Amino acid sequence: PTRPQGVPYRGPENAVTYGKGAFPDGYARIVEPNHVAGAIAVEASPWIEDNLWLLETAARHEIMVAVIGNIDLLAPDFGVLLTRFARNSLFRGIRSGNLWGRDLAMSLSNPAVLDGLKQVAQAGLVFETGNPRIDLLEAVVRIGDAIPSLTIIIDHFPRFYPSAAERQRYDNVVSALAARPRVYIKISGGPDPFPANAGPHVPSFAQRLDEILKSWGSDRLLFGSDWPNVERTTPVLEEFALIQGYFSKRSRAEQAAFYAGNAVQAYQWQPRNAAQRELVSRSLSGS
Protein backbone atom coordinates (compact mmCIF):
# COMPACT_ATOMS: atom_id res chain seq x y z
CA PRO A 1 0.00 0.00 0.00
CA THR A 2 3.00 2.35 0.25
CA ARG A 3 3.66 2.15 -3.50
CA PRO A 4 2.99 5.35 -5.46
CA GLN A 5 0.14 3.61 -7.30
CA GLY A 6 -1.22 2.04 -4.10
CA VAL A 7 -3.06 -1.28 -4.21
CA PRO A 8 -6.55 -2.32 -5.37
CA TYR A 9 -7.10 -4.18 -2.08
CA ARG A 10 -5.23 -3.94 1.19
CA GLY A 11 -7.35 -5.91 3.64
CA PRO A 12 -9.55 -4.62 6.46
CA GLU A 13 -9.01 -1.12 7.79
CA ASN A 14 -8.82 -2.37 11.40
CA ALA A 15 -5.78 -4.59 10.65
CA VAL A 16 -2.19 -3.34 11.06
CA THR A 17 -1.52 -4.57 7.53
CA TYR A 18 -3.85 -1.92 6.11
CA GLY A 19 -1.13 0.71 6.31
CA LYS A 20 1.99 -1.45 6.26
CA GLY A 21 1.06 -4.24 3.87
CA ALA A 22 0.79 -8.00 4.35
CA PHE A 23 4.07 -9.88 3.89
CA PRO A 24 5.31 -13.44 4.45
CA ASP A 25 7.66 -12.57 7.31
CA GLY A 26 4.85 -10.84 9.20
CA TYR A 27 2.56 -13.82 8.76
CA ALA A 28 5.32 -16.23 9.83
CA ARG A 29 5.84 -14.32 13.09
CA ILE A 30 2.12 -14.28 13.89
CA VAL A 31 1.53 -17.99 13.27
CA GLU A 32 4.81 -19.26 14.74
CA PRO A 33 3.03 -20.64 17.87
CA ASN A 34 0.96 -22.85 15.54
CA HIS A 35 4.02 -24.37 13.84
CA VAL A 36 2.92 -23.42 10.34
CA ALA A 37 5.38 -24.94 7.88
CA GLY A 38 4.03 -23.49 4.64
CA ALA A 39 1.53 -21.00 3.27
CA ILE A 40 -0.11 -20.24 -0.07
CA ALA A 41 -0.79 -16.68 -1.23
CA VAL A 42 -3.96 -15.95 -3.21
CA GLU A 43 -3.61 -12.78 -5.28
CA ALA A 44 -6.17 -10.14 -4.33
CA SER A 45 -5.16 -7.66 -7.03
CA PRO A 46 -6.57 -7.74 -10.58
CA TRP A 47 -3.52 -5.85 -11.89
CA ILE A 48 -1.58 -8.29 -14.05
CA GLU A 49 1.80 -6.91 -12.94
CA ASP A 50 1.03 -7.86 -9.34
CA ASN A 51 1.25 -11.56 -10.21
CA LEU A 52 4.96 -11.07 -10.83
CA TRP A 53 5.35 -8.94 -7.69
CA LEU A 54 3.72 -11.69 -5.62
CA LEU A 55 5.89 -14.41 -7.14
CA GLU A 56 9.05 -12.40 -6.52
CA THR A 57 8.00 -11.70 -2.92
CA ALA A 58 7.11 -15.35 -2.29
CA ALA A 59 10.42 -16.53 -3.75
CA ARG A 60 12.32 -14.66 -1.01
CA HIS A 61 10.49 -16.46 1.83
CA GLU A 62 10.62 -20.24 2.20
CA ILE A 63 7.34 -20.35 4.12
CA MET A 64 5.58 -19.57 0.83
CA VAL A 65 5.03 -22.79 -1.11
CA ALA A 66 2.65 -21.53 -3.80
CA VAL A 67 0.95 -18.55 -5.39
CA ILE A 68 -2.55 -18.47 -6.88
CA GLY A 69 -2.57 -15.73 -9.47
CA ASN A 70 -5.16 -13.40 -10.93
CA ILE A 71 -5.58 -13.48 -14.70
CA ASP A 72 -8.89 -12.48 -16.26
CA LEU A 73 -10.27 -15.46 -18.17
CA LEU A 74 -11.68 -13.02 -20.74
CA ALA A 75 -8.34 -11.30 -21.36
CA PRO A 76 -7.46 -11.60 -25.06
CA ASP A 77 -3.91 -12.67 -24.13
CA PHE A 78 -4.98 -15.06 -21.35
CA GLY A 79 -3.10 -18.04 -22.79
CA VAL A 80 0.12 -16.07 -23.22
CA LEU A 81 -0.06 -14.75 -19.66
CA LEU A 82 -0.86 -18.15 -18.18
CA THR A 83 2.05 -19.78 -20.02
CA ARG A 84 4.41 -17.04 -18.86
CA PHE A 85 3.53 -17.31 -15.17
CA ALA A 86 3.24 -21.11 -15.20
CA ARG A 87 6.97 -21.30 -15.94
CA ASN A 88 7.49 -20.32 -12.30
CA SER A 89 7.15 -23.43 -10.11
CA LEU A 90 5.51 -21.36 -7.34
CA PHE A 91 2.63 -20.43 -9.63
CA ARG A 92 -0.02 -23.08 -9.03
CA GLY A 93 -3.24 -21.65 -10.46
CA ILE A 94 -5.63 -18.75 -10.79
CA ARG A 95 -8.72 -17.51 -8.97
CA SER A 96 -11.86 -15.90 -10.34
CA GLY A 97 -15.55 -15.73 -9.50
CA ASN A 98 -17.62 -12.93 -7.99
CA LEU A 99 -14.74 -10.53 -7.49
CA TRP A 100 -13.30 -7.48 -9.25
CA GLY A 101 -16.54 -6.89 -11.16
CA ARG A 102 -16.51 -10.39 -12.63
CA ASP A 103 -19.38 -12.87 -12.59
CA LEU A 104 -18.32 -16.45 -13.24
CA ALA A 105 -21.84 -17.79 -13.81
CA MET A 106 -22.70 -15.07 -16.33
CA SER A 107 -19.36 -15.29 -18.11
CA LEU A 108 -19.73 -19.02 -18.84
CA SER A 109 -21.85 -18.06 -21.83
CA ASN A 110 -18.60 -16.87 -23.43
CA PRO A 111 -16.67 -19.84 -24.92
CA ALA A 112 -13.39 -18.11 -24.02
CA VAL A 113 -13.96 -18.85 -20.32
CA LEU A 114 -14.08 -22.63 -20.74
CA ASP A 115 -11.25 -22.45 -23.26
CA GLY A 116 -9.13 -20.64 -20.66
CA LEU A 117 -10.01 -23.12 -17.93
CA LYS A 118 -9.07 -25.99 -20.24
CA GLN A 119 -5.66 -24.38 -20.55
CA VAL A 120 -5.45 -24.18 -16.75
CA ALA A 121 -6.17 -27.92 -16.51
CA GLN A 122 -3.72 -28.78 -19.29
CA ALA A 123 -1.01 -26.86 -17.44
CA GLY A 124 -1.64 -28.93 -14.31
CA LEU A 125 -2.83 -25.88 -12.38
CA VAL A 126 -5.86 -25.34 -10.14
CA PHE A 127 -8.83 -23.02 -10.42
CA GLU A 128 -10.07 -21.29 -7.25
CA THR A 129 -13.38 -19.50 -6.92
CA GLY A 130 -14.52 -16.66 -4.69
CA ASN A 131 -16.91 -15.66 -3.29
CA PRO A 132 -19.57 -18.37 -2.96
CA ARG A 133 -23.14 -17.77 -4.08
CA ILE A 134 -25.67 -20.29 -5.29
CA ASP A 135 -25.14 -19.34 -8.95
CA LEU A 136 -21.36 -19.63 -8.58
CA LEU A 137 -21.69 -23.12 -7.09
CA GLU A 138 -23.94 -24.15 -9.97
CA ALA A 139 -21.37 -22.72 -12.38
CA VAL A 140 -18.69 -24.91 -10.79
CA VAL A 141 -20.83 -27.98 -11.53
CA ARG A 142 -21.02 -26.94 -15.18
CA ILE A 143 -17.27 -26.35 -15.31
CA GLY A 144 -16.58 -29.71 -13.68
CA ASP A 145 -18.78 -31.44 -16.25
CA ALA A 146 -17.06 -29.67 -19.14
CA ILE A 147 -13.50 -30.15 -17.81
CA PRO A 148 -13.33 -33.24 -15.56
CA SER A 149 -9.53 -33.00 -15.30
CA LEU A 150 -9.63 -29.51 -13.72
CA THR A 151 -8.97 -29.27 -9.99
CA ILE A 152 -11.36 -26.70 -8.49
CA ILE A 153 -11.13 -25.17 -5.01
CA ILE A 154 -14.13 -23.30 -3.61
CA ASP A 155 -12.92 -20.60 -1.20
CA HIS A 156 -14.69 -19.43 1.96
CA PHE A 157 -17.38 -22.09 1.74
CA PRO A 158 -18.52 -21.95 5.40
CA ARG A 159 -19.41 -18.27 4.99
CA PHE A 160 -22.21 -19.08 2.57
CA TYR A 161 -25.53 -20.37 3.85
CA PRO A 162 -28.61 -20.57 1.62
CA SER A 163 -31.79 -18.62 2.13
CA ALA A 164 -35.02 -20.59 2.43
CA ALA A 165 -35.75 -19.87 -1.23
CA GLU A 166 -32.32 -21.23 -2.24
CA ARG A 167 -32.41 -24.35 -0.06
CA GLN A 168 -33.43 -26.89 -2.71
CA ARG A 169 -30.96 -25.53 -5.25
CA TYR A 170 -28.28 -25.56 -2.57
CA ASP A 171 -28.94 -29.20 -1.58
CA ASN A 172 -28.85 -30.21 -5.24
CA VAL A 173 -25.61 -28.40 -5.98
CA VAL A 174 -23.85 -29.72 -2.86
CA SER A 175 -24.76 -33.28 -3.86
CA ALA A 176 -23.46 -32.64 -7.37
CA LEU A 177 -20.19 -31.07 -6.20
CA ALA A 178 -19.53 -33.71 -3.54
CA ALA A 179 -19.77 -36.37 -6.27
CA ARG A 180 -16.93 -34.73 -8.24
CA PRO A 181 -13.57 -35.91 -6.83
CA ARG A 182 -11.54 -32.95 -8.13
CA VAL A 183 -13.63 -30.30 -6.32
CA TYR A 184 -12.17 -29.22 -2.97
CA ILE A 185 -13.68 -27.03 -0.25
CA LYS A 186 -11.56 -24.45 1.58
CA ILE A 187 -12.50 -23.81 5.20
CA SER A 188 -11.33 -20.22 5.26
CA GLY A 189 -12.25 -16.83 6.59
CA GLY A 190 -13.23 -17.74 10.14
CA PRO A 191 -16.72 -17.58 11.62
CA ASP A 192 -17.90 -14.55 9.68
CA PRO A 193 -21.62 -13.79 10.06
CA PHE A 194 -23.89 -15.47 7.54
CA PRO A 195 -25.72 -13.17 5.10
CA ALA A 196 -28.89 -11.62 6.45
CA ASN A 197 -31.06 -13.33 3.83
CA ALA A 198 -30.11 -16.74 5.26
CA GLY A 199 -32.85 -16.30 7.86
CA PRO A 200 -33.00 -16.65 11.63
CA HIS A 201 -32.28 -20.38 11.93
CA VAL A 202 -28.72 -20.59 10.66
CA PRO A 203 -26.44 -23.13 12.37
CA SER A 204 -23.52 -22.34 14.63
CA PHE A 205 -20.06 -22.39 13.05
CA ALA A 206 -19.44 -25.88 14.46
CA GLN A 207 -22.77 -27.11 13.13
CA ARG A 208 -21.93 -25.62 9.74
CA LEU A 209 -18.64 -27.55 9.72
CA ASP A 210 -20.56 -30.69 10.71
CA GLU A 211 -22.79 -30.23 7.65
CA ILE A 212 -19.81 -29.73 5.34
CA LEU A 213 -17.97 -32.78 6.68
CA LYS A 214 -21.09 -34.90 6.29
CA SER A 215 -21.32 -33.91 2.61
CA TRP A 216 -17.64 -34.00 1.69
CA GLY A 217 -15.83 -36.22 4.15
CA SER A 218 -12.39 -35.18 5.34
CA ASP A 219 -10.34 -35.92 2.21
CA ARG A 220 -11.30 -32.80 0.21
CA LEU A 221 -11.34 -30.08 2.87
CA LEU A 222 -8.49 -27.54 3.09
CA PHE A 223 -7.61 -25.07 5.81
CA GLY A 224 -7.03 -21.45 4.82
CA SER A 225 -6.51 -18.62 7.29
CA ASP A 226 -7.57 -15.88 4.83
CA TRP A 227 -5.06 -13.59 6.54
CA PRO A 228 -5.18 -10.60 6.67
CA ASN A 229 -8.81 -10.39 5.50
CA VAL A 230 -9.99 -12.53 8.42
CA GLU A 231 -8.86 -9.80 10.83
CA ARG A 232 -11.97 -7.83 9.87
CA THR A 233 -13.97 -9.89 12.36
CA THR A 234 -11.62 -12.42 14.00
CA PRO A 235 -7.93 -12.18 14.97
CA VAL A 236 -6.13 -14.88 13.03
CA LEU A 237 -4.86 -16.71 16.13
CA GLU A 238 -8.42 -16.89 17.47
CA GLU A 239 -9.43 -18.40 14.13
CA PHE A 240 -6.67 -21.00 14.49
CA ALA A 241 -7.86 -21.85 17.99
CA LEU A 242 -11.46 -22.18 16.85
CA ILE A 243 -10.58 -24.49 13.95
CA GLN A 244 -8.16 -26.54 16.05
CA GLY A 245 -10.77 -26.92 18.78
CA TYR A 246 -13.21 -28.31 16.26
CA PHE A 247 -10.83 -30.66 14.44
CA SER A 248 -9.22 -31.91 17.66
CA LYS A 249 -12.26 -34.19 17.90
CA ARG A 250 -11.37 -35.84 14.58
CA SER A 251 -8.81 -38.60 14.07
CA ARG A 252 -5.12 -37.85 13.61
CA ALA A 253 -5.37 -38.99 9.99
CA GLU A 254 -8.26 -36.60 9.32
CA GLN A 255 -6.38 -33.73 10.95
CA ALA A 256 -3.24 -34.45 8.91
CA ALA A 257 -5.29 -34.47 5.72
CA PHE A 258 -7.13 -31.24 6.56
CA TYR A 259 -4.08 -29.23 7.64
CA ALA A 260 -1.61 -30.42 5.00
CA GLY A 261 -2.24 -33.57 2.99
CA ASN A 262 -5.25 -32.41 1.03
CA ALA A 263 -3.48 -29.19 0.04
CA VAL A 264 -0.48 -31.18 -1.20
CA GLN A 265 -2.79 -33.29 -3.33
CA ALA A 266 -4.85 -30.37 -4.65
CA TYR A 267 -2.14 -27.81 -5.34
CA GLN A 268 0.77 -30.19 -6.03
CA TRP A 269 3.09 -27.68 -4.37
CA GLN A 270 6.79 -28.49 -4.07
CA PRO A 271 8.63 -28.31 -0.70
CA ARG A 272 11.36 -25.74 -0.17
CA ASN A 273 12.82 -26.85 3.17
CA ALA A 274 13.07 -29.89 5.45
CA ALA A 275 9.83 -29.27 7.36
CA GLN A 276 7.87 -29.01 4.12
CA ARG A 277 9.56 -32.12 2.68
CA GLU A 278 8.44 -34.04 5.76
CA LEU A 279 4.86 -32.82 5.27
CA VAL A 280 4.84 -33.93 1.64
CA SER A 281 6.43 -37.27 2.47
CA ARG A 282 3.88 -37.97 5.20
CA SER A 283 1.07 -36.88 2.89
CA LEU A 284 2.15 -39.23 0.12
CA SER A 285 2.55 -42.12 2.56
CA GLY A 286 -0.87 -41.44 4.10
CA SER A 287 0.53 -41.04 7.61
Side-chain angles (χ1 to χ4, degrees), residues 96-110:
S96 192
N98 302 317
L99 300 163
W100 316 290
R102 302 171 192 166
D103 186 323
L104 181 64
M106 291 288 292
S107 67
L108 277 183
S109 61
N110 189 323

Side-chain angles (χ1 to χ4, degrees), residues 21-31 57 60-61 63-64 227:
F23 296 93
D25 52 355
Y27 183 69
R29 284 194 300 271
I30 292 170
V31 300
T57 302
R60 294 193 292 269
H61 301 272
I63 190 174
M64 305 308 302
W227 182 85

Side-chain angles (χ1 to χ4, degrees), residues 69-153:
N70 189 333
I71 308 174
D72 189 349
L73 286 159
L74 292 175
D77 54 350
F78 175 84
V80 173
L81 294 168
L82 185 73
T83 300
R84 178 201 302 174
F85 290 119
R87 293 193 184 106
N88 189 315
S89 61
L90 286 173
F91 192 86
R92 296 304 311 143
I94 65 167
R95 181 172 70 152
S96 192
N98 302 317
L99 300 163
W100 316 290
R102 302 171 192 166
D103 186 323
L104 181 64
M106 291 288 292
S107 67
L108 277 183
S109 61
N110 189 323
V113 172
L114 283 181
D115 287 344
L117 290 174
K118 287 176 183 176
Q119 294 178 62
V120 173
Q122 290 164 358
L125 303 175
V126 307
F127 176 56
E128 292 208 24
T129 70
N131 290 318
R133 295 189 319 226
I134 194 71
D135 60 341
L136 180 138
L137 299 178
E138 291 170 337
V140 170
V141 173
R142 293 162 59 193
I143 292 168
D145 287 344
I147 317 170
S149 61
L150 179 64
T151 296
I152 304 172
I153 299 171

Side-chain angles (χ1 to χ4, degrees), residues 134 161-172 203 208 211:
I134 194 71
Y161 197 75
S163 66
E166 295 171 327
R167 186 75 224 192
Q168 188 58 58
R169 290 172 66 191
Y170 175 81
D171 290 344
N172 291 341
R208 181 74 177 113
E211 290 181 358

Side-chain angles (χ1 to χ4, degrees), residues 29-265:
R29 284 194 300 271
I30 292 170
V31 300
E32 185 176 6
N34 296 89
H35 309 290
V36 173
I40 295 172
V42 181
E43 180 56 81
S45 166
W47 296 349
I48 195 65
E49 299 92 342
D50 282 350
N51 289 283
L52 177 59
W53 181 90
L54 195 66
L55 286 166
E56 291 176 333
T57 302
R60 294 193 292 269
H61 301 272
E62 284 189 350
I63 190 174
M64 305 308 302
V65 298
V67 165
I68 299 301
N70 189 333
I71 308 174
D72 189 349
L73 286 159
L74 292 175
D77 54 350
F78 175 84
V80 173
L81 294 168
L82 185 73
T83 300
R84 178 201 302 174
F85 290 119
R87 293 193 184 106
N88 189 315
S89 61
L90 286 173
F91 192 86
R92 296 304 311 143
I94 65 167
R95 181 172 70 152
S96 192
N98 302 317
L99 300 163
W100 316 290
R102 302 171 192 166
D103 186 323
L104 181 64
M106 291 288 292
S107 67
L108 277 183
S109 61
N110 189 323
V113 172
L114 283 181
D115 287 344
L117 290 174
K118 287 176 183 176
Q119 294 178 62
V120 173
Q122 290 164 358
L125 303 175
V126 307
F127 176 56
E128 292 208 24
T129 70
N131 290 318
R133 295 189 319 226
I134 194 71
D135 60 341
L136 180 138
L137 299 178
E138 291 170 337
V140 170
V141 173
R142 293 162 59 193
I143 292 168
D145 287 344
I147 317 170
S149 61
L150 179 64
T151 296
I152 304 172
I153 299 171
I154 302 175
D155 290 358
H156 311 325
F157 193 78
R159 290 183 186 170
F160 175 73
Y161 197 75
S163 66
E166 295 171 327
R167 186 75 224 192
Q168 188 58 58
R169 290 172 66 191
Y170 175 81
D171 290 344
N172 291 341
V173 80
V174 166
S175 295
L177 292 173
R180 287 158 172 77
R182 300 192 74 92
V183 176
Y184 290 79
I185 295 295
K186 188 183 287 185
I187 307 298
S188 54
D192 278 1
F194 294 123
N197 71 337
H201 303 298
V202 296
S204 68
F205 187 62
Q207 290 171 326
R208 181 74 177 113
L209 295 184
D210 286 343
E211 290 181 358
I212 294 170
L213 269 166
K214 183 178 180 180
S215 295
W216 300 88
S218 58
D219 60 345
R220 282 186 287 150
L221 303 187
L222 315 172
F223 172 65
S225 70
D226 195 31
W227 182 85
N229 188 59
V230 70
E231 301 273 348
R232 176 179 285 106
T233 58
T234 308
V236 68
L237 292 185
E238 288 186 18
E239 177 197 24
F240 270 71
L242 182 72
I243 293 291
Q244 288 169 339
Y246 178 85
F247 277 93
S248 66
K249 302 176 180 67
R250 315 299 297 190
S251 70
R252 290 179 65 101
E254 287 176 309
Q255 292 181 56
F258 173 68
Y259 289 120
N262 295 341
V264 173
Q265 296 295 332

